[in-house]
Each structure stands twice: as C-alpha cells, then as structure tokens.
Amino acid sequence: MTVEGVKESVTASAPGKIIIIGEHFVVYGSYAIAAAITKRARVTVSGTSGKETLIFSNDMKSKLSEHSGRFSAVKEVVRALYEKYGPPENGIRIDIQSDIPLGSGLGSSAAISVATAGAVSRFMGHDLQHEEIATFAGRGEKSVHGNPSGIDTAASLYGGMILFSRKTGPKPIPLNRAIQLLVVYSGVPRSTSKLISRVGETKSKFPSTFEHLADASSFASLQLVDAFSNGDLPYVGALMNFSQATLSWIGVSTNNLDALVENVLHSAFCYGAKLTGAGGGGSIIALPMPEKAVALLQKISKRYKVAFLVSIPQQGLSLEFGVR
Ligand code: MEV
C-alpha cells in the first residue's frame, strides 16, 4: 500500500530480545520462546540534496554503494527494498542509534534490521504489513548470520513474548502478570553465524541424540507457555535450567557462562538461569523471585558491569514522523 505524501523524516524504533528457551534447536524446526526487552534501536531516515544513500552511526559512516563489511546487514535490507520498489530519486540519510549492547546476544542486529526496514519503507511511501517487514529485515539477518530461524526478527517486530517455530511463525503468549528478568552480559562478544555452524557440526556427529534434544526443547517450550500462564515461576525456572544443560551439551556454553549461571543460581534469589541467544559469550538471563529481583541485581552488579532488570514491553516496531 502506498501512503500519500512522503514525510520529511521517519524514525522507527524496535526492541532487542532475549530467548527464554529453545535457541539453536529452533533453527532445526523446534519451538522456542523469545521476548522483547526494554532496550531499543532507533533508525531515522531523512532526505538529502545529493543522490547517494548514506548510513551513519556514532562516529562511523558509509555509502550504500561501498562494498565494505561496515553496516552490511543494514545495506542488505536497503538493497532488498530498492530491488522491490526501485531506488529513490534523491539521496537519503540513515542514522542508527541503539542502546542494545552490540554482540551481547540481545538482538541488536535484528532490532536495527527491523527498524531500518520499517523506517526506509515508510520514507519511500510504503505502509508494509509486519510479514513484509519481517522478510526485508530477514534479508539483513541472513547476510550476517547465514541460516537464522527468524525468531530474533519476530521478537523485535512484534514485541511482547512469542512462541515461535519456523513452521508456525510467531504466536503471542499472553502474560497475566508482569515478569522481570535479570540480564547479565558476560563481556565476551560472539558471532552468531559461527555458533550456528558449531551446532551444525554437533548435529552431524550425533544426529539421533540431537534430534531427541530438539524434541525435548520443543516440548519444554510448550510446557513453559503453560507454566507462564499458570504463574508457576518455579517450573519456568526449572525449564530454563534444563535448557542451559542442553545448550551446554551442544557446545554453545563456555566456562565463563557456566560460572555466571552458577553464580546467579547460588544466590538462591532466582528460580532458574541460562545463556540467552547464540552463546559462546554474550549474555545470560535469570528469573528472579519477584521480591528478590533488586537484591539479585545489586549482588551481581558488583562483579559484572553490564547487568540490568528487564520487563517485557508489548511494543515491537514503532514509527514516528518528523521534520528535520
Ligand atoms: C540467536 O538469537 C538465536 C539462534 O537460535 C539463531 C536463530 O534462531 O536464528 C541461535
């Protein structure tokens, strides 16, 4: 659908994400659960008097025509939009800003791809459905992660908590109480594509064990939906601990992440803890006992610089218009 009149500038924002259960196995068709977090990426698109498409973030900048590794996902999203709708006649400028720590497993690249797809398409005068935005954002994610399941993009685009599989796509999980989770960044950045290939190797070495674990991960994800809707937080925690054990077995946890998970569990302030996202570094999440959440944060903040409590915002992609 085309929107009447092109705005002077369009800003789109999209949240980062955590995976509550089922990462990696979701790539092979299992169910998994992801949720948006209260940290967002913002992309502003405005017109320029030139002809080029320029991309800026902090002190970095690049032209769309430059084939460097810089902003490769963003460029792929923009190229996909230009292929479909034709490039704009005049130059545009894309400004990216994000409060999601990069390489931390919290979905910063998916949030930037979603916000880019939303802002650039709107600036070009197209009011796309979420499914179409997911396809364009997915092009960016594929260019950097190889074979992503689409769960990161879906969590960022739709917001809230979702049950996801490649076959069913995202299904919202209604939450009847506010949930707070602790996120702790290990300080070790990682590459999702390398970890996805490492899991592929484990799968080829031990195909039938892998298949059973993938089924168990799917089953645990469905159990977790029920545990959330019954408010059974101890069982949610137990399922998160189960998930950590399976992720460790497939080779994506590290000594550092195991120690961090143990540390949080030994506080006796939480029901469960696990790595979140691709692993190999990145972040862990923990489900605190509601009355102990702040105490847990204070304790862990003494040793880890980037630790914060997140709630689960319902707002996924959001668009704003303005005049620059
Ligand atoms: C990364 O956040 C989640 C993975 O399962 C990859 C994917 O599903 O695309 C590791």
Side-chain angles (χ1 to χ4, degrees), residues 4-19:
E4 287 285 306
V6 177
K7 305 285 186 258
E8 293 290 319
S9 84
V10 177
T11 296
S13 77
K17 66 91 201 24
I18 48 177
I19 307 257

Side-chain angles (χ1 to χ4, degrees), residues 32 45 57 74 86 133 152 162-163 169 172 186 191-192 202 282 288 292 321:
V45 180
S57 181
V74 168
I133 302 257
D152 292 8
I162 54 166
L163 175 70
S186 66
S191 142
T192 301
T202 309
K292 297 280 170 51
F321 304 96

